[in-house]
Amino acid sequence: MNQNSAVIFDMDGVICHTNPYHSLAFREFFLKRELQPTDEDFAQHMFGKSNSYILSHFLQRPVTGQELLELEDEKESLFRKIYEPHIDPIAGIVPFMDDLAAHNFKLGVATSAPFANLELILSKVGIRTKMGSILSSEDVKKHKPDPEVYLLSAKNLNVDPKNCIVFEDSFSGVSAALNAGMKVVGVLTSHTREELPPCQLYINDYSALKASDIIALL
């Protein structure tokens, strides 16, 4: 049965708890522009959002085209420099992925972050060979909450969307998975369960999670 089922992971806040370091990078980025967003601003307008949305929101004007590419590269380069010495997977995720693979689940990662960020994390966390699909912001035209990245993941894995379980930590990410017709496990690293759309299960980390728990959701 599980050969026809898949588990797809977002990256930020799901594989690694990167959001505090994104906040630091954005603070440095915006401080250069004499802007000082609050923690509440970041919670509402950064976590789970694409860089085009974040930059346009905080700069209060559309940011597109070549300018978007240049500003995004500046901010994400800051993030990678700040975060690289601190890369650490969320507790229990690697053994959990091993358990899923042992039970014949197909695995994928689907992030709104640029590929360079994903590549950095995959270079430090030993999960790359487990992934049958690896997608980042460059692979889609529409960002979460649009379901494109999850529907494309299901296609890559040759699994019906209704047989996919997604791990997400943000409102837009959970919404994207639900819009794709998938079941969702909410990872409570960035938000409380009350701040997320209804999920089938909620976790703080993966330390007590087993493949059997995912089988029970299908």
Side-chain angles (χ1 to χ4, degrees), residues 2 94-107 130 211:
N2 300 333
V94 175
F96 174 59
M97 286 185 177
D98 289 339
D99 193 26
L100 290 172
H103 285 79
N104 298 315
F105 279 97
K106 296 179 179 180
L107 303 181
K130 300 175 177 59

Side-chain angles (χ1 to χ4, degrees), residues 154-175:
K155 182 179 179 181
N156 286 351
L157 295 167
N158 195 28
V159 174
D160 191 304
K162 71 175 183 292
N163 293 327
C164 294
I165 303 284
V166 170
F167 282 76
E168 268 286 1
D169 71 312
S170 70
F171 190 96
S172 61
V174 172
S175 298

Side-chain angles (χ1 to χ4, degrees), residues 186-203:
V187 184
L188 303 177
T189 54
S190 305
H191 298 284
T192 65
R193 65 175 63 196
E194 291 77 20
E195 293 172 330
L196 298 176
C199 299
Q200 277 66 44
L201 179 69
Y202 299 91
I203 63 170

